[in-house]
Amino acid sequence: MKLQEKKDIVKQLTESVANAKAIVFTDFQGLKAEKVRELRRALRASGATFQVVKNTLLNRSLKDARVLNGAEALALEGPTGVILTEAKEPALP
């Protein structure tokens, strides 16, 4: 992945995180592609999104959005899925 692509992802994710009313981190390993598509559709219907993001880019976005302070970082391992919603009262499937 090129540096500019990473910067673009961090910028977009930072905006989404800053506007989110709820953030859920998921381990989606073991889900088949069809189940992930179903999850995305259900989340979209409830006003939420599901993204798979590199942990380093996710931590950078959380810091840029001021969700994390200073040197703080989430200890995430392996692929991480992120559910973000701007709904005041999220109803996740």
PDB file of all heavy atoms in Angstrom, residues 74-88:
ATOM      1  N   LEU A  74      -4.316   1.046  21.155  1.00  0.00           N
ATOM      2  CA  LEU A  74      -5.031  -0.191  21.432  1.00  0.00           C
ATOM      3  C   LEU A  74      -4.126  -1.368  21.100  1.00  0.00           C
ATOM      4  O   LEU A  74      -3.416  -1.346  20.103  1.00  0.00           O
ATOM      5  CB  LEU A  74      -6.304  -0.278  20.588  1.00  0.00           C
ATOM      6  CG  LEU A  74      -7.370   0.773  20.862  1.00  0.00           C
ATOM      7  CD1 LEU A  74      -8.542   0.574  19.917  1.00  0.00           C
ATOM      8  CD2 LEU A  74      -7.844   0.703  22.296  1.00  0.00           C
ATOM      9  N   ALA A  75      -4.159  -2.381  21.925  1.00  0.00           N
ATOM     10  CA  ALA A  75      -3.351  -3.582  21.691  1.00  0.00           C
ATOM     11  C   ALA A  75      -4.173  -4.548  20.844  1.00  0.00           C
ATOM     12  O   ALA A  75      -4.759  -5.494  21.349  1.00  0.00           O
ATOM     13  CB  ALA A  75      -2.948  -4.214  23.013  1.00  0.00           C
ATOM     14  N   LEU A  76      -4.237  -4.266  19.560  1.00  0.00           N
ATOM     15  CA  LEU A  76      -5.013  -5.092  18.640  1.00  0.00           C
ATOM     16  C   LEU A  76      -4.107  -6.096  17.966  1.00  0.00           C
ATOM     17  O   LEU A  76      -2.970  -5.783  17.623  1.00  0.00           O
ATOM     18  CB  LEU A  76      -5.685  -4.207  17.586  1.00  0.00           C
ATOM     19  CG  LEU A  76      -6.621  -3.128  18.122  1.00  0.00           C
ATOM     20  CD1 LEU A  76      -7.020  -2.172  17.008  1.00  0.00           C
ATOM     21  CD2 LEU A  76      -7.844  -3.759  18.751  1.00  0.00           C
ATOM     22  N   GLU A  77      -4.616  -7.302  17.768  1.00  0.00           N
ATOM     23  CA  GLU A  77      -3.843  -8.350  17.097  1.00  0.00           C
ATOM     24  C   GLU A  77      -4.656  -8.922  15.963  1.00  0.00           C
ATOM     25  O   GLU A  77      -5.862  -9.112  16.081  1.00  0.00           O
ATOM     26  CB  GLU A  77      -3.486  -9.459  18.084  1.00  0.00           C
ATOM     27  CG  GLU A  77      -2.530  -9.029  19.169  1.00  0.00           C
ATOM     28  CD  GLU A  77      -2.173 -10.167  20.101  1.00  0.00           C
ATOM     29  OE1 GLU A  77      -2.413 -11.330  19.757  1.00  0.00           O
ATOM     30  OE2 GLU A  77      -1.648  -9.874  21.187  1.00  0.00           O
ATOM     31  N   GLY A  78      -3.987  -9.227  14.884  1.00  0.00           N
ATOM     32  CA  GLY A  78      -4.656  -9.837  13.748  1.00  0.00           C
ATOM     33  C   GLY A  78      -5.601  -8.868  13.058  1.00  0.00           C
ATOM     34  O   GLY A  78      -5.672  -7.695  13.405  1.00  0.00           O
ATOM     35  N   PRO A  79      -6.346  -9.357  12.083  1.00  0.00           N
ATOM     36  CA  PRO A  79      -7.283  -8.498  11.357  1.00  0.00           C
ATOM     37  C   PRO A  79      -8.353  -7.953  12.304  1.00  0.00           C
ATOM     38  O   PRO A  79      -8.868  -8.672  13.148  1.00  0.00           O
ATOM     39  CB  PRO A  79      -7.916  -9.428  10.332  1.00  0.00           C
ATOM     40  CG  PRO A  79      -7.039 -10.620  10.259  1.00  0.00           C
ATOM     41  CD  PRO A  79      -6.349 -10.725  11.579  1.00  0.00           C
ATOM     42  N   THR A  80      -8.656  -6.673  12.157  1.00  0.00           N
ATOM     43  CA  THR A  80      -9.643  -6.038  13.012  1.00  0.00           C
ATOM     44  C   THR A  80     -10.748  -5.445  12.160  1.00  0.00           C
ATOM     45  O   THR A  80     -10.487  -4.723  11.202  1.00  0.00           O
ATOM     46  CB  THR A  80      -9.007  -4.917  13.863  1.00  0.00           C
ATOM     47  OG1 THR A  80      -7.962  -5.488  14.643  1.00  0.00           O
ATOM     48  CG2 THR A  80     -10.019  -4.268  14.779  1.00  0.00           C
ATOM     49  N   GLY A  81     -11.975  -5.750  12.541  1.00  0.00           N
ATOM     50  CA  GLY A  81     -13.133  -5.130  11.914  1.00  0.00           C
ATOM     51  C   GLY A  81     -13.618  -4.020  12.826  1.00  0.00           C
ATOM     52  O   GLY A  81     -13.553  -4.134  14.046  1.00  0.00           O
ATOM     53  N   VAL A  82     -14.078  -2.924  12.229  1.00  0.00           N
ATOM     54  CA  VAL A  82     -14.559  -1.787  13.001  1.00  0.00           C
ATOM     55  C   VAL A  82     -15.976  -1.467  12.549  1.00  0.00           C
ATOM     56  O   VAL A  82     -16.234  -1.302  11.358  1.00  0.00           O
ATOM     57  CB  VAL A  82     -13.665  -0.543  12.783  1.00  0.00           C
ATOM     58  CG1 VAL A  82     -14.162   0.624  13.605  1.00  0.00           C
ATOM     59  CG2 VAL A  82     -12.235  -0.852  13.109  1.00  0.00           C
ATOM     60  N   ILE A  83     -16.875  -1.394  13.522  1.00  0.00           N
ATOM     61  CA  ILE A  83     -18.240  -0.975  13.250  1.00  0.00           C
ATOM     62  C   ILE A  83     -18.376   0.435  13.803  1.00  0.00           C
ATOM     63  O   ILE A  83     -18.070   0.686  14.966  1.00  0.00           O
ATOM     64  CB  ILE A  83     -19.266  -1.912  13.921  1.00  0.00           C
ATOM     65  CG1 ILE A  83     -19.110  -3.330  13.385  1.00  0.00           C
ATOM     66  CG2 ILE A  83     -20.685  -1.398  13.707  1.00  0.00           C
ATOM     67  CD1 ILE A  83     -19.914  -4.368  14.135  1.00  0.00           C
ATOM     68  N   LEU A  84     -18.819   1.354  12.951  1.00  0.00           N
ATOM     69  CA  LEU A  84     -19.004   2.749  13.339  1.00  0.00           C
ATOM     70  C   LEU A  84     -20.447   3.153  13.068  1.00  0.00           C
ATOM     71  O   LEU A  84     -21.003   2.803  12.025  1.00  0.00           O
ATOM     72  CB  LEU A  84     -18.081   3.665  12.523  1.00  0.00           C
ATOM     73  CG  LEU A  84     -16.595   3.426  12.659  1.00  0.00           C
ATOM     74  CD1 LEU A  84     -15.838   4.132  11.551  1.00  0.00           C
ATOM     75  CD2 LEU A  84     -16.116   3.927  14.007  1.00  0.00           C
ATOM     76  N   THR A  85     -21.048   3.880  13.995  1.00  0.00           N
ATOM     77  CA  THR A  85     -22.387   4.386  13.771  1.00  0.00           C
ATOM     78  C   THR A  85     -22.501   5.811  14.277  1.00  0.00           C
ATOM     79  O   THR A  85     -21.900   6.164  15.290  1.00  0.00           O
ATOM     80  CB  THR A  85     -23.465   3.501  14.429  1.00  0.00           C
ATOM     81  OG1 THR A  85     -24.753   4.042  14.130  1.00  0.00           O
ATOM     82  CG2 THR A  85     -23.286   3.405  15.927  1.00  0.00           C
ATOM     83  N   GLU A  86     -23.253   6.610  13.554  1.00  0.00           N
ATOM     84  CA  GLU A  86     -23.513   7.989  13.956  1.00  0.00           C
ATOM     85  C   GLU A  86     -24.885   8.119  14.599  1.00  0.00           C
ATOM     86  O   GLU A  86     -25.268   9.211  15.006  1.00  0.00           O
ATOM     87  CB  GLU A  86     -23.393   8.924  12.753  1.00  0.00           C
ATOM     88  CG  GLU A  86     -21.975   9.022  12.210  1.00  0.00           C
ATOM     89  CD  GLU A  86     -21.852   9.984  11.049  1.00  0.00           C
ATOM     90  OE1 GLU A  86     -22.686  10.895  10.920  1.00  0.00           O
ATOM     91  OE2 GLU A  86     -20.907   9.811  10.257  1.00  0.00           O
ATOM     92  N   ALA A  87     -25.613   7.009  14.678  1.00  0.00           N
ATOM     93  CA  ALA A  87     -26.949   7.036  15.276  1.00  0.00           C
ATOM     94  C   ALA A  87     -26.843   7.359  16.761  1.00  0.00           C
ATOM     95  O   ALA A  87     -25.957   6.862  17.438  1.00  0.00           O
ATOM     96  CB  ALA A  87     -27.639   5.692  15.071  1.00  0.00           C
ATOM     97  N   LYS A  88     -27.767   8.167  17.255  1.00  0.00           N
ATOM     98  CA  LYS A  88     -27.751   8.527  18.687  1.00  0.00           C
ATOM     99  C   LYS A  88     -28.012   7.309  19.562  1.00  0.00           C
ATOM    100  O   LYS A  88     -27.465   7.179  20.624  1.00  0.00           O
ATOM    101  CB  LYS A  88     -28.790   9.614  18.962  1.00  0.00           C
ATOM    102  CG  LYS A  88     -28.402  10.942  18.369  1.00  0.00           C
ATOM    103  CD  LYS A  88     -29.298  12.035  18.875  1.00  0.00           C
ATOM    104  CE  LYS A  88     -28.992  13.303  18.128  1.00  0.00           C
ATOM    105  NZ  LYS A  88     -28.280  14.263  18.870  1.00  0.00           N
TER     106      LYS A  88
END
